[in-house]
Amino acid sequence: MSCDDAGAVVSVDVALARGQHTIAVRFAAPAGLTALLGPSGAGKTSVLDMIAGLLRPDRGRITVAGEVLFDRAAGIDRAPEARGCGYVFQDLRLFPHRRVRDNLLYGWRRAQRARPLLGFDEAVAFLGLGALLDRLPETLSGGEAQRVAIGRALLSGPRLLLLDEPLSSLDPPRRREIMRVIERIRDELRLPILYVSHDREEVARLAGMVVRIDR
Amino acid sequence: MLTAEEWQVVALSLRVAVVAVLGCLPFAFALAWLLARRRFRGLILVDAAVHLPLVLPPVVTGWLLLLLFGARGPIGGWLAALGISVMFRWTGAALAAGVMALPLMVRSIRLSLEAIDPRLEAAARTLGAGRWRAFASITLPLALPGILAALVLGFARALGEFGATITFVASIPGETQTLPLAIFAALQVPDGDTEVVRLAVLSVLLSLGALVASETLVRRRYVGPGQEAVRNVL
C-alpha cells in the first residue's frame, strides 16, 4: 500500500474496543517529537502498547520507518522483540534484581549486532549515569530511575522511542533536567519520538506535531 | 556411632526425599505458573486437585497411588509394559513423598510468581528479548526465593512422609523403610525403646540441618520482591 503519508516516519491507523468505548486513532508522524495529548483514560498508553506490540489492535495498520509492524488485513503482527521500539513506561519497569549496569545492557548485545544507536559509554555519558552503574533500581531517586529507563531503551537500538508521561512523577528541577535529555535525543540522536502527555505546556515546548486523543 | 542399619535408613530417607523433591519441582513450577499467570476454564479444578494431598488423609492418597500405579492400574499397567514398576521399591516411596510435597511446593512457588509484576516481562520483550529469554532472565530469577522455599518445604514434607508411603509401598527395610517408618517399626518391637530414641534424635538432626541449610541459602540471595513471599511461606 502506498497510502502512507509521504515523509512520515510513523504511521498509525488502529482501533481497539476497550469495554464501553473504542480507541480509534489515526495519524502520521514526521521525524522529530510527536505528542499524543489527551485526558487520562483516553487510551494514550494503549496506543503506545499497540505500537510496541504489547496490545493487539482489533483492526488497522502500523508502520515504522517504512516497515509494517502490524497489518490486520495482511495478517502481519510482529513480536514486540522484533519491532525496534524503545519504550519508557510510565512506571519505568526497571528490573529490580539487576543493577543499573545490567538494566542498561539488557537489550544492548542484540542491538549491537542489528542497529546500534550509541555505545554503552556514550549512553552513560549522555545521560550522566556513571555514578549509578552499581546501584540497584530500588535505591534510585525518581529522576535517576527515569534516566536509567531512558538509557535502557536507547541502548536497545530503537528506531522509535515511546515515552509515556516521562515527567509526570518528577519535581520541577528534575522535570527540566529530563526535558533537556529528551530534547537532546530529538536533536542530537535524531531519534523519532512519540510522547504521551496530558500537559499542554510540556507538549508546546517539545513537540513538532500534536495528535489529540479524546475520550 | 550409627549402626549399619541406621546409616541405611538415613541414606534411604535422604535419597527418597531428594529424588521426590527434585522430581516434583518441574511439575510444581509448571502448575504454579499455570495457576498464577493463566485464566482458564477448569482452573479451580486444577487448583483443587493439586491441593488434594494436603487435605486427604495420607492413607487415602497412598491407596489412590496403589490404584493408579498397581500392576493393573492405568499408569502402573502402562509402566509395566515398559518393564518399570515402582511397587515396593524406593522409587515408589519417592513418588508418594513427591505427591505429598507437591501442594506445598506449588503454593510457595505460586506466591512468589504472583508477587512478580508480569509487565516486567513485557518490558524485556520491548528490549529485544524473546518470550523464553524474558522468562528465564526476569521471572525465573525473581521467583528463585520462592523456588528455594518450595525445595525446603517439600524436602521437609518428604522426609516426614508416613501414611501414603506405608500404604503405597509398605515398610521394607533397606528398600522403602524411611526414618518415620523405621521409628514406627521400632515402636512395634517390645524392647525397641532405645532404637526409637536414637532414630528420633536422628530425624531431629536431619530436619534441623535442612532448615539451617535453607536459611543460609535464602539469606545469601538479594533482598527484593519475591523475598516477601518466602517470609510468608516460611
Side-chain angles (χ1 to χ4, degrees):
Chain A
M1 277 177 38
S2 58
C3 68
D4 298 333
D5 303 42
V9 175
V10 186
S11 146
V12 174
D13 179 4
V14 290
L16 174 67
R18 299 230 90 177
Q20 294 295 326
H21 70 294
T22 297
I23 303 166
V25 181
R26 180 175 183 185
F27 65 89
L33 190 147
T34 301
L36 306 184
L37 183 67
S40 51
K44 302 185 296 292
T45 299
S46 298
V47 174
L48 293 193
D49 282 350
M50 287 190 267
I51 295 169
L54 301 178
L55 196 59
R56 182 177 296 142
D58 293 334
R59 62 160 187 79
R61 182 176 151 93
I62 299 167
T63 66
V64 172
E67 195 179 336
V68 181
L69 300 185
F70 180 84
D71 189 334
R72 183 61 196 255
I76 297 170
D77 185 8
R78 293 285 209 89
E81 61 268 28
R83 293 197 175 202
C85 293
Y87 195 162
V88 179
F89 301 90
Q90 187 172 15
D91 55 354
L92 303 185
R93 306 189 199 177
L94 295 177
F95 303 133
H97 59 308
R98 291 172 166 250
R99 296 187 184 279
V100 167
R101 183 192 313 277
D102 298 319
N103 264 283
L104 291 171
L105 287 173
Y106 191 85
W108 189 59
R109 221 149 283 138
R110 189 172 307 230
Q112 245 187 330
R113 272 180 267 134
R115 37 167 193 277
L117 186 70
L118 69 180
F120 181 75
D121 296 333
E122 225 179 319
V124 168
F126 186 83
L127 293 162
L129 300 173
L132 308 176
L133 292 177
D134 291 317
R135 304 254 298 268
L136 279 170
E138 63 186 358
T139 69
L140 301 175
S141 70
E144 290 169 341
Q146 187 67 255
R147 285 185 347 243
V148 173
I150 292 173
R152 185 176 71 169
L154 289 179
L155 280 167
S156 71
R159 291 177 294 199
L160 167 69
L161 190 62
L162 307 172
L163 298 177
D164 192 357
E165 305 258 10
L167 307 179
S168 61
S169 61
L170 303 176
D171 54 35
R174 295 290 91 69
R175 270 166 182 261
R176 283 193 290 277
E177 173 193 322
I178 298 295
M179 216 181 255
R180 269 196 299 278
V181 166
I182 294 168
E183 285 170 331
R184 290 181 60 205
I185 294 169
R186 182 189 65 191
D187 302 334
E188 293 173 29
L189 301 179
R190 299 187 172 284
L191 188 65
I193 300 171
L194 283 186
Y195 183 99
V196 157
S197 176
H198 62 267
D199 185 321
R200 285 161 192 284
E201 249 173 81
E202 259 173 59
V203 165
R205 171 166 164 190
L206 291 170
M209 177 181 151
V210 178
V211 178
R212 293 201 55 91
I213 298 179
D214 294 311
R215 295 185 74 118
Chain B
M1 234 168 78
L2 294 185
T3 67
E5 285 80 20
E6 285 164 349
W7 271 120
Q8 195 183 44
V9 169
V10 171
L12 177 72
S13 298
L14 288 176
R15 183 169 47 169
V16 164
V18 167
V19 168
V21 163
L22 292 183
C24 191
L25 184 62
F27 297 100
F29 190 89
L31 285 166
W33 186 85
L34 207 64
L35 292 172
R37 287 290 161 85
R38 293 281 133 151
R39 290 290 161 264
F40 56 94
R41 218 177 290 174
L43 183 127
I44 291 175
L45 281 179
V46 174
D47 200 12
V50 164
H51 282 88
L52 215 50
L54 199 65
V55 291
L56 275 180
V59 179
V60 177
T61 304
W63 175 72
L64 286 173
L65 286 173
L66 212 50
L67 289 185
L68 286 172
F69 287 87
R72 267 166 289 168
I75 305 176
W78 182 72
L79 284 176
L82 296 169
I84 302 169
S85 172
V86 295
M87 297 299 299
F88 307 112
R89 300 286 317 277
W90 72 270
T91 44
L95 177 65
V99 168
M100 294 302 290
L102 184 74
L104 291 173
M105 295 180 72
V106 170
R107 282 182 83 86
S108 150
I109 298 172
R110 179 183 178 174
L111 267 176
S112 75
L113 285 176
E114 280 172 349
I116 302 168
D117 188 345
R119 293 174 308 171
L120 288 175
E121 261 192 50
R125 300 286 301 277
T126 68
L127 292 166
R131 215 178 274 277
W132 170 247
R133 189 187 161 218
F135 169 77
S137 64
I138 306 300
T139 306
L140 200 57
L142 285 172
L144 212 53
I147 294 172
L148 284 176
L151 288 173
V152 175
L153 281 173
F155 183 77
R157 185 69 191 82
L159 210 55
E161 217 306 298
F162 179 80
T165 308
I166 203 165
T167 313
F168 182 39
V169 290
S171 176
I172 304 164
E175 189 64 44
T176 67
Q177 196 176 78
T178 55
L179 255 174
L181 275 64
I183 293 173
F184 184 73
L187 277 169
Q188 311 296 304
V189 182
D191 54 352
D193 292 355
T194 346
E195 194 53 35
V196 170
V197 171
R198 289 175 65 89
L199 290 172
V201 168
L202 261 181
S203 61
V204 169
L205 289 178
L206 271 184
S207 307
L208 274 180
L211 270 180
V212 170
S214 74
E215 271 294 297
T216 338
L217 267 176
V218 172
R219 251 160 233 258
R220 257 206 241 148
R221 305 297 315 173
Y222 72 97
V223 178
Q227 197 78 14
E228 278 309 305
V230 182
R231 295 221 184 89
N232 293 340
V233 169
L234 291 179

